[in-house]
Amino acid sequence: MEPTLEVEDREGGIRVLTVSNPSRRNALNDALLARLDAALEPAPHVRVLLVRGQGGHFCAGYDLTHLGPPGADGRLPDDPLVACLLKLERHPVPSVALVQGGAVGAGFDLAASCDFRVGAPDAFFLMPPARLGIVYSPEGLTRAVRLVGLSRAKQLFLTARRLPAPEALAWGLLDECLEDAEGRALALCATLAAQAPKAVTGMKEAFGLLARSGLAPEDVARLRQVRGEAFGSEDAKEGRAAFLEKRAPLFNGR
């Protein structure tokens, strides 16, 4: 089956977005991100978004076969991902992630970009950039820090630790964890959709503004340089190869 994003508008203003890429456990690529970006365009009848993965997997991250060194124009390979998740995070209506199975890498960030996360007992979170020789986006790092705190975010990103559902709940990465995660996520969506739309939109915008600290322009430029160097490094090439070949990477620091 070809990767796709299923968009279903349900009664009550609930828009269900289902990432479907079965052969790669719902890994994202540029085509899927383009569909997600289009589905995130505000619409008067949409009052809440439910983000999920098809077939019991949330999202295995960004398809590594689509990653590589920066472009000649300075474009980073994950620029479309960063822009799309920022659009989700700042969407005028609230969003709920239904996390079943793995939320890995970009899948972790996809869930973190939503306002609420409801997980099944088999849910787990994992951030592997240190294994892949890359520097994750400051936007994604910031989301993780806001949810779990600086020290725990460092544990997740610097050790590539797998965090199972009970710990994710205790750390605040999941808001709820229960057997009927789908039913609870839909019930939460219905509750959110039943509130006054302008009030919800206004308060969501206010929360977003309160949460932003921002980086100085020189800091943004420096981080983009660091990330570009990492994406173009020998270690990043080795990390991708090792992941796809299912072996331990041999990094040389270059």
Side-chain angles (χ1 to χ4, degrees):
M1 293 178 61
E2 287 294 316
T4 188
L5 179 79
E6 300 170 8
V7 181
E8 180 187 0
D9 286 339
R10 299 190 181 183
E11 186 178 355
I14 300 172
R15 171 165 286 185
V16 181
L17 304 175
T18 305
V19 178
S20 179
N21 188 3
S23 66
R24 294 190 176 276
R25 297 194 175 187
N26 302 326
L28 298 170
N29 56 33
D30 285 354
L32 273 171
L33 287 172
R35 295 187 180 99
L36 178 58
D37 185 83
L40 291 176
E41 285 298 310
H45 65 283
V46 176
R47 294 191 175 186
V48 64
L49 303 169
L50 176 65
V51 180
R52 62 186 300 173
Q54 188 269 340
H57 301 287
F58 185 68
C59 176
Y62 202 94
D63 191 333
L64 295 186
T65 61
H66 290 255
L67 288 181
D73 58 356
R75 180 180 180 273
L76 299 182
D78 65 346
D79 279 349
L81 173 69
V82 172
C84 187
L85 295 189
L86 190 61
K87 187 174 183 178
L88 172 60
E89 181 182 34
R90 296 182 179 177
H91 200 282
V93 306
S95 53
V96 178
L98 170 58
V99 185
Q100 298 169 307
V104 179
F108 180 124
D109 206 7
L110 176 63
S113 299
C114 293
D115 295 295
F116 303 95
R117 284 153 296 284
V118 178
D122 67 345
F124 68 90
F125 293 81
L126 191 152
M127 257 298 177
R131 286 185 185 172
L132 300 173
I134 62 175
V135 176
Y136 205 78
S137 72
E139 293 86 353
L141 293 169
T142 299
R143 291 185 193 104
V145 169
R146 286 175 185 157
L147 288 172
V148 304
L150 181 59
S151 179
R152 285 173 169 172
K154 286 180 180 179
Q155 288 188 49
L156 293 171
F157 281 82
L158 301 185
T159 70
R161 174 185 176 185
R162 175 179 169 137
L163 195 72
E167 284 185 271
L169 180 64
W171 283 22
L173 194 50
L174 284 176
D175 297 299
E176 299 181 69
C177 179
L178 64 170
E179 289 289 343
D180 186 17
E182 181 176 0
R184 175 56 189 147
L186 286 169
L188 177 57
C189 285
T191 297
L192 292 165
Q195 310 309 309
K198 286 188 177 181
V200 171
T201 296
M203 286 188 286
K204 181 175 176 183
E205 182 178 359
F207 279 125
L209 292 171
L210 288 169
R212 290 177 207 166
S213 56
L215 295 170
E218 60 269 23
D219 296 327
V220 173
R222 171 58 182 159
L223 287 173
R224 191 166 182 84
Q225 177 188 356
V226 167
R227 298 186 67 232
E229 290 172 355
F231 273 117
S233 68
E234 292 180 17
D235 278 351
K237 185 177 180 180
E238 166 63 10
R240 290 192 298 273
F243 184 90
L244 294 171
E245 295 166 12
K246 302 185 185 306
R247 60 174 175 81
L250 297 173
F251 295 129
N252 59 25
R254 297 193 296 273

